[in-house]
Amino acid sequence: MEIRSLDGDEPATIAALLPGFRDTMSLELPGDPPVTEALLARLFQRRHGTERIVLAAYDGGTPAGVLKLGLDLGDPSGPGHGSLWVFPAFRRRGAGRALAAAGLAALRERGRDLLLADAPRAVAGERFAAGLGAELIGESVRHRLRPAGPASAVLQAAAARPVPGYRLVAWRGPCPDDLVEPYARAWSGLEERVNGQARIRRPSADDVRAREAEAERAGHLPHVVAALPEHGTAIVGYATLFVRDSPMADGGETLVLPQHRRRGLATWLKSELLLGAARENSRLALVQVFNDTADTAVVALNRKLGFEADSYWSTYALKA
């Protein structure tokens, strides 16, 4: 196996990896729509505030597997967090071990000593991780919702219960200019670390615009619903969803600032977001979202709105 470093923002990288990813996801997630170029571009692009490492194992001229890692530039000694995939036709031939070793070497070159990788929970993955000496440190659940299914009535009922003293503002694409600063301030309340993404410590309007631009480059249209006091201009909560050229969309962040919680804002926000996206995108048949199982409040919110657990994903830590 030959290990090559690739540029995740290059169309040639996406074209080379797409056949293997389609084979992999049809095996691992058979209920999903086929992987599209837009989805793969989003997975591999360098995110705002990060360095992206993409290493591919090649068998001759054919990609056999890939490791992608995101490094938070604001945390110079922090982990590289991403995922490692070996494509079905090349498994049990050493590609996974070669990619893990190359990833650890790349991290050491950058003064980092921890590799975090997410993978579907499965016996084969557990054995592979154990063989590398990796430690299981967390678990996520993938929830899915069909907006036109039984959840539709649940969402409509939730959206019909506004929270007194607040109003909602919705937009698609770029945030309106008059809301971009309040949106950035609200974003600063987000503490969750996301696979491969930077935690922006003090978000500004420029950070908001940079994040919108990277979504656009990968063919993803953000849908956002924000909550504001009825007579105020501060955003106190928001929820996001990313729609691409596919029947499946990706849930993003759901945040309500601490002093405004336990009033039903998250339920109202997210139900309006999902209903609005379904109305405006006739192809939208499925929404997926990944949640840390330790975040019991968000897991409970999603299940209340009709999301169903589809699969569980393990996070492994490997020291360089």
Side-chain angles (χ1 to χ4, degrees):
M1 293 286 176
E2 176 193 1
I3 304 298
R4 302 181 190 177
S5 177
L6 304 179
D7 183 346
D9 288 305
E10 280 292 329
T13 296
I14 305 307
L17 297 176
L18 186 58
F21 253 90
R22 282 182 170 160
D23 290 345
T24 302
M25 294 307 166
S26 66
L27 178 67
E28 301 287 351
L29 302 171
D32 281 12
V35 175
T36 64
E37 290 184 358
L39 172 58
L40 213 56
R42 184 69 164 160
L43 288 174
F44 281 91
Q45 73 177 167
R46 184 177 68 84
R47 297 297 188 93
H48 178 55
T50 71
E51 178 186 358
R52 175 70 86 197
I53 296 173
V54 179
L55 300 172
Y58 272 76
D59 183 4
T62 305
V66 64
L67 170 70
K68 70 173 182 72
L69 296 172
L71 283 61
D72 186 344
L73 296 176
D75 184 7
S77 61
H81 192 175
S83 55
L84 189 160
W85 298 96
V86 177
F87 303 147
F90 299 93
R91 292 180 178 174
R92 297 181 178 84
R93 293 167 58 180
R97 285 184 173 274
L99 285 167
L104 291 172
L107 290 175
R108 284 193 294 268
E109 290 173 359
R110 293 161 172 80
R112 300 174 186 253
D113 63 0
L114 185 63
L115 188 158
L116 303 181
D118 298 336
R121 189 174 68 187
V123 172
E126 292 169 357
R127 289 175 179 166
F128 175 70
L132 292 176
E135 177 187 1
L136 177 65
I137 63 166
E139 183 180 64
S140 299
V141 56
R142 186 178 83 146
H143 285 112
R144 302 201 312 173
L145 177 141
R146 297 184 182 277
S152 176
V154 176
L155 295 174
Q156 291 179 34
R161 291 192 292 270
V163 178
Y166 296 89
R167 60 190 174 96
L168 300 184
V169 178
W171 66 86
R172 292 188 305 165
C175 177
D177 289 340
D178 62 329
L179 290 176
V180 68
E181 290 288 355
Y183 187 34
R185 286 193 291 272
W187 178 15
S188 69
L190 190 70
E191 297 180 355
E192 180 183 2
R193 184 183 288 273
V194 181
N195 178 335
Q197 298 184 34
R199 182 173 181 270
I200 307 300
R201 277 75 184 170
R202 295 180 179 176
S204 66
D206 288 342
D207 293 310
V208 172
R209 296 304 186 209
R211 193 161 69 159
E212 291 169 346
E214 73 184 19
E216 182 180 4
R217 286 196 304 274
H220 283 61
L221 178 68
H223 287 243
V224 185
V225 175
L228 295 81
E230 191 170 5
H231 301 295
T233 58
I235 291 179
V236 301
Y238 67 86
T240 62
L241 181 75
F242 294 89
V243 175
R244 57 181 177 272
D245 184 18
S246 168
M248 185 166 70
D250 297 315
E253 301 157 354
T254 300
L255 170 71
V256 175
L257 298 180
Q259 60 270 38
H260 298 273
R261 291 175 185 169
R262 303 187 187 282
R263 305 181 191 191
L265 276 176
T267 302
W268 188 29
L269 276 170
K270 197 155 189 175
S271 59
E272 284 283 1
L273 173 71
L274 293 164
L275 288 171
R279 282 194 303 268
E280 296 172 18
N281 298 275
S282 59
R283 290 189 65 201
L284 182 58
L286 191 63
V287 176
Q288 69 168 358
V289 63
F290 289 83
N291 304 120
D292 187 334
T293 54
D295 192 346
T296 55
V298 171
V299 169
L301 168 65
N302 284 330
R303 295 190 179 173
K304 176 182 178 181
L305 292 175
F307 282 86
E308 296 181 350
D310 163 76
S311 57
Y312 287 85
W313 296 61
S314 301
T315 300
Y316 294 99
L318 187 61
K319 295 285 286 186

